[in-house]
Amino acid sequence: VSRVVLVLGDQLSPDLSALAQADRDTDLVVMAEVRQEATYAPHHPKKIAFLFAAMRKFAAQLQERGWQVAYTRLDDPDNTHSIAGELVRRAAAHGATEVLMTECGEWRLRAALADADSYGSHMKVIRFSDTRFIASQAEFDAWAEGRKQLRMEYFYREMRRKTGLLMDGDKPVGGQWNFDHDNRKPAKGKDLFASGPLRFDPDETVEEVLALVEREFPSNFGALRPFWFATDAAQAQASLDHFIAQRLETFGDYQDAMLRDDGFLSHAVLGLYINAGLLDPLKVCQAIENAYENGDAPINAVEGFIRQILGWREFVRGIYFHEGPDYTLRNALNHQRKLPQMYWGGETRMACMQAAIDQTRDEAYAHHIQRLMVTGNFALLAGVAPAEIHEWYLAVYADAFEWVEAPNVIGMSQFADGGVVGSKPYVSSGAYINRMSDYCKGCHYSVSAKTGEKACPFNLLYWHFLIRHRDRFEGNPRMAQMYRTWDRMDETRRDTVLSEAQQTLKDLSENKII
Ligand code: FAD
Ligand code: SF4
């Protein structure tokens, strides 16, 4: 039988399970740039360009290795603009009756490719699990079975044991599993400016794609140029090597820090490459472990980094599929606000929000603490509907794919899953942002002002959040202290805080500039 082999835009790995099962002499690889995928969210132009350029280069590499590839460009006049449509069209032309595919990472697309009927023709669909993940879904589900709470830390330890990463026999290297207490340093002072990620000048393929994206997606939020992402495995590998040589050493120390003039600090900026398949997560972890063994980076940096990939990345993927297709619809705190215009580039007087959003617009990137404690924190405090903020994150980051984005947004950041991913909501007043960043000193608001015209909106909304959800969170031992602080506050002051917070929320509803 002749077969078609589907390779999706985030499956750009030569040892993809579907390719491993295929025959390069008789099977046809199908890759397609389709409107349905390019528009299910209003993706950042840099994200679209990154994926299309990486797909084109991957297709060319497969051809060099002897594969037959049917590649559909977005502006191909015969393009049916859906993955299923392209599979049917290519299969018919090739005389194929079977499709091989590696299970895709999203409920939406899984449903669209679920069975032969959804193709409107009778094709046999053979699915393989995505072996690029270190834990299989069955393994995660077995781990999760019967547990009252799913906590990343315990899953991570299992993954350390399974892979032997940073293990000394059955003991963790350095005598402890987690060195996070060393990793909370604020960023203050210019000596911290890091070299940033490796940047690549656009080659001919990239230029072609940039022109296409400029033409086809002229009004999507985000700056297309300058475009500097890696778009093939060799460049992604060079980015990893550069990170290890230049920034890994300080990754742990400044993981939670934020600086107005350095949006990258010591972060790896590798998530987009790993998620698209240009880098293998296990090999990345092994390279990081090597750096430790060679004495090039301290244990707190190396353990902290490996935990992000071996722990968090694997854990959230397990959660996404474990929780089922309705996960993105959850709204445990019943938040209903529309996403404020400032997220799409509208004006704001909050320097921290401005910095995180400007950087997101320019780079299709913000690091974890900006996502969690600035844009995510504000949305949660302001009571934005989780589905609205979910769509924003899915659109604006080059590394955003639903399996990883949704648990981070719906779960970790918005607590909309009611505590599956995190045991308490990530909310803070302005004090946290001030401690970890240099944003506040250039802000219209005063971080030390708790009430009054200059009061930092994070300060006001923080209390409003805690009070409107008192019933749910008061009993949480990790939050009880905050309720005691509130109760000790003078009553008139409490009234002022709540009425000013109410006014801020009203201003947001009326699209006033906050
Ligand atoms: P680094 O900080 O250098 O970390 C190294 C690597 O660890 C990352 O490349 C990534 O592969 C992995 N990693 C770190 N944290 C996480 C995490 N929480 N979950 C999964 N993997 C992690 N990550 C995405 O890949 N796609 C998303 O769409 C996404 N959306 C997010 C939304 C919110 C609200 C939050 C709080 C986090 C989100 N994350 C997402 C997780 C994390 O912020 C990004 O993986 C990270 O910022 C990517 O940049 P980096 O490569 O410089 O990461
Ligand atoms: Fe953000 Fe408040 Fe600091 Fe301004 S004062 S930068 S709004 S935390």
Side-chain angles (χ1 to χ4, degrees):
V1 250
S2 150
R3 307 174 298 187
V4 287
V5 187
L6 175 64
V7 175
L8 294 165
D10 61 352
Q11 297 183 337
L12 309 178
S13 315
D15 42 11
L16 190 73
S17 53
L19 287 170
Q21 300 294 328
D23 181 340
R24 76 183 72 187
D25 294 330
T26 52
D27 295 337
L28 176 72
V29 174
V30 174
M31 295 180 70
E33 300 167 6
V34 295
R35 221 160 256 293
Q36 206 171 65
E37 297 308 305
T39 59
Y40 67 80
H43 301 292
H44 194 296
K46 270 198 172 76
K47 177 185 185 186
I48 304 177
F50 162 61
L51 288 170
F52 284 180
M55 284 168 69
R56 289 184 184 192
K57 289 190 180 183
F58 186 71
Q61 284 162 7
L62 288 179
Q63 277 164 333
E64 277 161 28
R65 289 179 199 151
W67 290 93
Q68 286 185 73
V69 182
Y71 190 97
T72 309
R73 293 185 171 208
L74 191 76
D75 50 7
D76 182 337
D78 296 328
N79 194 333
T80 57
H81 287 297
S82 77
I83 298 290
E86 284 310 281
L87 276 174
V88 171
R89 185 167 77 87
R90 299 301 193 177
H94 191 62
T97 51
E98 283 184 17
V99 188
L100 304 188
M101 67 173 76
T102 293
E103 198 81 88
C104 51
E106 208 176 333
W107 288 111
R108 176 191 61 85
L109 194 54
R110 279 197 185 182
L113 301 176
D115 51 42
D117 291 346
S118 44
Y119 303 83
S121 77
H122 297 290
M123 285 208 291
K124 185 169 166 201
V125 183
I126 305 169
R127 273 183 215 83
F128 305 99
S129 54
D130 194 338
T131 50
R132 298 173 302 169
F133 288 92
I134 296 157
S136 69
Q137 193 59 38
E139 211 174 333
F140 183 89
D141 292 341
W143 173 80
E145 171 92 38
R147 279 172 199 262
K148 269 220 281 306
Q149 282 192 323
L150 306 180
R151 290 294 161 252
M152 191 285 297
E153 184 65 30
Y154 299 107
F155 175 74
Y156 165 58
R157 293 180 192 179
E158 291 292 308
M159 291 296 104
R160 289 271 294 274
R161 290 194 188 94
K162 173 179 170 168
T163 56
L165 281 163
L166 295 181
M167 293 300 289
D168 201 351
D170 59 356
K171 300 252 164 15
V173 165
Q176 58 197 68
W177 293 101
N178 184 319
F179 290 82
D180 237 6
H181 59 83
D182 298 338
N183 288 353
R184 301 259 154 80
K185 298 195 177 58
K188 303 273 159 147
K190 283 204 186 311
D191 52 323
L192 263 184
F193 283 91
S195 61
L198 200 55
R199 290 162 185 263
F200 300 88
D201 287 332
D203 56 24
E204 208 179 306
T205 308
V206 175
E207 279 299 352
E208 244 179 16
V209 168
L210 294 180
L212 173 86
V213 173
E214 239 151 22
R215 220 169 41 240
E216 299 284 338
F217 306 95
S219 47
N220 285 24
F221 171 76
L224 177 63
R225 295 172 195 268
F227 182 91
W228 52 267
F229 290 151
T231 46
D232 61 36
Q235 291 179 345
Q237 181 63 44
S239 305
L240 169 62
D241 296 343
H242 181 262
F243 165 67
I244 292 175
Q246 307 274 332
R247 304 192 306 288
L248 174 62
E249 196 181 347
T250 48
F251 174 83
D253 289 354
Y254 301 116
Q255 210 177 334
D256 289 1
M258 297 177 280
L259 276 185
R260 183 194 300 261
D261 294 327
D262 184 348
F264 302 104
L265 287 154
S266 294
H267 290 274
V269 198
L270 294 174
L272 72 170
Y273 307 141
I274 303 173
N275 294 351
L278 300 181
L279 288 174
D280 179 75
L282 183 58
K283 288 188 188 139
V284 170
C285 291
Q286 286 160 343
I288 300 295
E289 183 184 41
N290 275 342
Y292 172 69
E293 284 166 357
N294 297 337
D296 295 334
I299 187 71
N300 69 310
V302 167
E303 186 282 315
F305 189 86
I306 288 180
R307 174 157 28 91
Q308 303 311 313
I309 294 185
L310 188 64
W312 279 112
R313 188 173 185 276
E314 294 288 324
F315 179 72
V316 299
R317 190 217 182 221
I319 294 273
Y320 176 74
F321 285 112
H322 186 70
E323 289 295 309
D326 76 337
Y327 188 74
T328 55
L329 305 176
R330 296 194 193 170
N331 190 358
L333 301 181
N334 192 24
H335 283 168
Q336 303 294 349
R337 180 176 298 282
K338 272 179 70 67
L339 189 66
Q341 222 15 61
M342 71 178 96
Y343 281 82
W344 299 111
E347 226 179 299
T348 173
R349 296 195 186 107
M350 292 181 281
C352 54
M353 289 290 283
Q354 184 85 59
I357 294 165
D358 282 357
Q359 182 190 324
T360 301
R361 180 198 58 215
D362 293 344
E363 307 289 11
Y365 179 84
H367 65 69
H368 190 69
I369 292 301
Q370 294 174 305
R371 298 187 205 195
L372 188 64
M373 299 311 292
V374 181
T375 46
N377 187 12
F378 187 78
L380 180 57
L381 295 180
V384 171
E388 292 249 334
I389 186 77
H390 154 64
E391 187 189 68
W392 185 77
Y393 281 107
L394 190 58
V396 300
Y397 292 116
D399 54 36
F401 297 91
E402 198 176 275
W403 64 265
V404 54
E405 176 272 342
N408 272 297
V409 175
I410 298 288
M412 189 189 299
S413 158
Q414 300 300 301
F415 205 79
D417 65 4
V420 176
V421 171
S423 54
K424 77 180 216 353
Y426 280 94
V427 282
S428 81
S429 66
Y432 175 87
I433 295 174
N434 187 40
R435 187 162 69 248
M436 300 312 293
S437 81
D438 64 354
Y439 294 146
C440 298
K441 59 179 191 250
C443 187
H444 165 85
Y445 297 103
S446 161
V447 71
S448 57
K450 308 285 194 270
T451 56
E453 221 177 285
K454 288 281 172 181
C456 163
F458 282 85
N459 292 344
L460 294 170
L461 296 179
Y462 176 66
W463 290 120
H464 194 276
F465 174 89
L466 288 179
I467 297 316
R468 73 177 183 265
H469 295 301
R470 185 163 194 154
D471 286 352
R472 178 182 284 266
F473 295 124
E474 191 172 26
N476 185 325
R478 294 173 66 199
M479 298 176 76
Q481 176 62 37
M482 294 321 300
Y483 286 101
R484 281 199 290 275
T485 307
W486 173 258
D487 290 341
R488 277 199 303 269
M489 235 185 257
D490 174 79
E491 197 173 328
T492 345
R493 190 174 173 77
R494 285 190 301 205
D495 289 347
T496 312
V497 168
L498 289 184
S499 74
E500 289 187 11
Q502 202 58 50
Q503 184 58 44
T504 303
L505 291 174
K506 187 159 172 280
D507 289 348
L508 269 180
S509 303
E510 291 168 0
N511 288 325
K512 295 209 175 120
I513 296 166
I514 301 291

